[in-house]
Amino acid sequence: MANLKISVKFAYNGRIKDDGTAPISLVLTYGGKRRVINTKVEVEQKNFNPNNPDAPCKSGDKHSAEKNRRIRELKTIYQDRATELQIKGNRYEIEDIVNIPQRQGDDFIEFIKAQAKFKRNKHGQAVGYEQQNAYKVLVENLQSFAQCKRIRFEKITIQFINEFDYWLRNTPTAKGKPLHINTIRHRHDILRSFVLLAVDEGYIKQCPYATRHGQKGFHYSGIESVRIHLTDEELKRIEDFKPLDSMELSKDLFLFGCYTGLRFADIMSLTRENLSNADGKTFLTLREGKTQKIKNNLPISEIFNGKAVTLVEKYSDRNRATLFPKITDQAINRILKTIAGATGINKEVSFHVSRHTFGTYLANHGGDALTIQYFMKHARLETSLRYIHQSEKTQLDKVKNIDWNY
């Protein structure tokens, strides 16, 4: 039995717009017949890479990650359809592959479940367990709100979204507490992403959410989250803590995050190639995947008196591909709660607290917003300024304890 072949083509019909862009098409070939699918993704020819069918949009296009994700999702949908037909063993033609049954078109819930399997993060990687679980929770919320297992696409209107938002705000959790406003915002973020996919696929005519382009619709927002960080004294407590052997790696990785400000995923992917030496200093260099442009260059022998270098040397193992042994963030977060309790730190300590601790330490010890932005690689200076503002509040609190009588 022949296999379905899918190729990616730029400007298949030969027409390029005045701005230099043209659509990318999927060309499906099966049984000697060919069908062309418009992906609704458009790029300039200079940003099209015909040699990488899974990521044909080059990084020069500012929306390349999202466009490549959509192309991969469409390819997977048609490939899965061909595999499904092949498993059933019935005789089928290319039209049976192209004309996917309308079960998803009738049911938004099934559409979410199907699309969730192929969701990618901004780096083009499959989303992790926590995000997949968030998709599952959203589906459960929608079904509880609608009091049914299936929701037709025609039901996804502004009124539906408004009523769902009211339900989220007024339905207590299993613990009897209302959802936090930022939790509700996150549910809308996820729901909106699937609604936009459905609009792209033609299942929904118009997005009921307000867009950045001025389209009217449902608007939602949250509040700025409290950035939990460790004080200098609390950080010292964890440094001095003597854990069980089974907890030591978690403690050290958390401290490495405090000393570098790197996210968990970046730390877990570090290899010896990320280390370099120049002028007697040790640098930890991270690069963008395809472009190989430097996105972080930390002089780890200089910051925090080289404590990060000591941890690298502690776990040095030439037989291991990565700098540190593999562990999940869920496992670390469980152990961090134990360490926080054992050291008398009355805070919700998770691995991400290490990044906030790094930024706050810089702000409290003389780093300005530009320094913080450089080391933490914030896309916007406003994000870095939050650490400065938080530091100013800390200093003002200290002023209250000063005896000004003389």
Side-chain angles (χ1 to χ4, degrees):
M1 187 176 291
N3 292 323
L4 172 68
K5 294 182 180 179
I6 304 178
S7 58
V8 182
K9 301 293 183 182
F10 173 81
Y12 184 82
N13 60 9
R15 298 174 184 173
I16 299 179
K17 296 182 178 180
D18 293 338
D19 62 1
T21 64
I24 293 178
S25 301
L26 297 183
V27 180
L28 279 58
T29 305
Y30 179 79
K33 295 182 179 181
R34 178 180 298 173
R35 294 292 181 272
V36 179
I37 308 296
N38 184 358
T39 66
K40 299 182 181 179
V41 170
E42 296 186 353
V43 295
E44 294 182 78
Q45 188 166 12
K46 66 180 182 180
N47 289 325
F48 178 73
N49 181 6
N51 299 320
N52 191 348
D54 287 326
C57 300
K58 297 180 181 178
S59 58
D61 185 296
K62 63 180 181 179
H63 300 299
S64 60
E66 182 67 18
K67 292 178 178 179
N68 287 331
R69 177 197 58 74
R70 172 169 171 74
I71 290 170
R72 285 194 297 270
E73 288 178 351
L74 285 174
K75 288 178 63 178
T76 302
I77 288 172
Y78 290 111
Q79 193 64 63
D80 285 353
R81 173 60 177 160
T83 301
E84 178 186 348
L85 292 169
Q86 192 169 9
I87 291 174
K88 288 181 178 179
N90 297 331
R91 180 180 177 83
Y92 60 93
E93 305 292 339
I94 193 168
E95 285 77 11
D96 298 312
I97 300 173
V98 174
N99 299 322
I100 297 176
Q102 293 302 303
R103 183 180 63 165
Q104 288 185 1
D106 293 334
D107 187 3
F108 184 47
I109 297 298
E110 284 296 326
F111 179 84
I112 292 177
K113 291 179 180 179
Q115 294 294 328
K117 298 176 183 178
F118 313 116
K119 275 280 191 177
R120 298 289 186 271
N121 61 23
K122 62 182 180 181
H123 304 297
Q125 302 166 328
V127 298
Y129 167 80
E130 290 186 3
Q131 190 66 11
Q132 286 291 346
N133 189 58
Y135 300 155
K136 181 181 177 181
V137 171
L138 173 65
V139 166
E140 292 171 352
N141 285 167
L142 287 169
Q143 291 175 329
S144 296
F145 160 69
Q147 297 183 346
C148 59
K149 294 293 184 182
R150 300 181 63 185
I151 301 174
R152 295 177 65 88
F153 272 103
E154 63 187 33
K155 296 287 187 181
I156 310 301
T157 62
I158 295 178
Q159 181 180 347
F160 179 93
I161 301 298
N162 269 301
E163 292 175 355
F164 179 59
D165 178 75
Y166 181 85
W167 182 88
L168 288 173
R169 295 174 188 277
N170 293 277
T171 302
T173 64
K175 296 181 180 180
K177 297 181 179 180
L179 289 175
H180 191 277
I181 187 172
N182 286 348
T183 301
I184 295 174
R185 179 185 65 182
H186 188 229
R187 299 280 161 84
H188 278 298
D189 284 340
I190 298 173
L191 177 56
R192 182 175 180 273
S193 72
F194 285 112
V195 168
L196 288 173
L197 279 174
V199 171
D200 286 344
E201 294 291 331
Y203 294 120
I204 295 178
K205 293 182 179 179
Q206 184 174 349
C207 179
Y209 283 95
T211 68
R212 296 175 182 175
H213 304 294
Q215 176 183 313
K216 293 182 178 180
F218 180 82
H219 177 77
Y220 60 96
S221 62
I223 59 175
E224 184 176 338
S225 301
V226 176
R227 293 173 178 266
I228 299 174
H229 68 276
L230 300 185
T231 64
D232 296 358
E233 188 269 336
E234 289 169 337
L235 180 59
K236 187 70 167 60
R237 276 194 240 170
I238 291 185
E239 288 178 334
D240 294 340
F241 177 66
K242 304 298 182 184
L244 298 172
D245 290 345
S246 59
M247 302 166 66
E248 189 169 7
L249 175 62
S250 296
K251 171 198 163 183
D252 289 342
L253 288 174
F254 177 78
L255 288 176
F256 190 83
C258 292
Y259 300 150
T260 62
L262 295 180
R263 296 179 177 85
F264 176 78
D266 286 330
I267 293 175
M268 286 290 93
S269 63
L270 291 175
T271 68
R272 283 178 291 277
E273 293 180 357
N274 295 112
L275 294 173
S276 61
N277 292 283
D279 299 326
K281 299 175 183 178
T282 302
F283 290 85
L284 188 61
T285 304
L286 275 68
R287 298 178 182 275
E288 297 285 359
K290 289 186 178 180
T291 64
Q292 288 297 294
K293 291 181 180 178
I294 293 177
K295 68 174 182 178
N296 219 324
N297 200 31
L298 291 167
I300 58 175
S301 59
E302 302 298 304
I303 56 180
F304 281 92
N305 295 322
K307 292 179 180 179
V309 177
T310 302
L311 290 174
V312 169
E313 293 173 346
K314 177 179 178 179
Y315 289 93
S316 178
D317 184 350
R318 291 285 175 181
N319 295 320
R320 187 175 58 243
T322 55
L323 283 183
F324 297 103
K326 291 294 184 181
I327 188 174
T328 64
D329 54 347
Q330 293 97 332
I332 286 185
N333 287 334
R334 285 195 297 267
I335 293 173
L336 287 177
K337 290 182 180 180
T338 302
I339 293 176
T343 54
I345 298 174
N346 188 26
K347 294 177 178 177
E348 288 290 329
V349 179
S350 65
F351 196 90
H352 202 64
V353 170
S354 66
R355 181 167 168 83
H356 293 325
T357 299
F358 177 82
T360 305
Y361 186 92
L362 289 180
N364 284 341
H365 293 271
D368 58 23
L370 290 174
T371 301
I372 295 171
Q373 183 183 34
Y374 173 77
F375 281 116
M376 301 187 74
K377 292 304 173 189
H378 290 144
R380 299 186 304 160
L381 186 62
E382 288 82 356
T383 305
S384 306
L385 283 169
R386 292 174 185 171
Y387 288 99
I388 299 294
H389 296 157
Q390 191 170 13
S391 175
E392 289 174 351
K393 181 180 181 300
T394 301
Q395 301 308 320
L396 290 173
D397 289 341
K398 291 179 180 179
V399 168
K400 298 176 184 178
N401 299 321
I402 297 175
D403 184 0
W404 296 104
N405 297 314
Y406 58 89

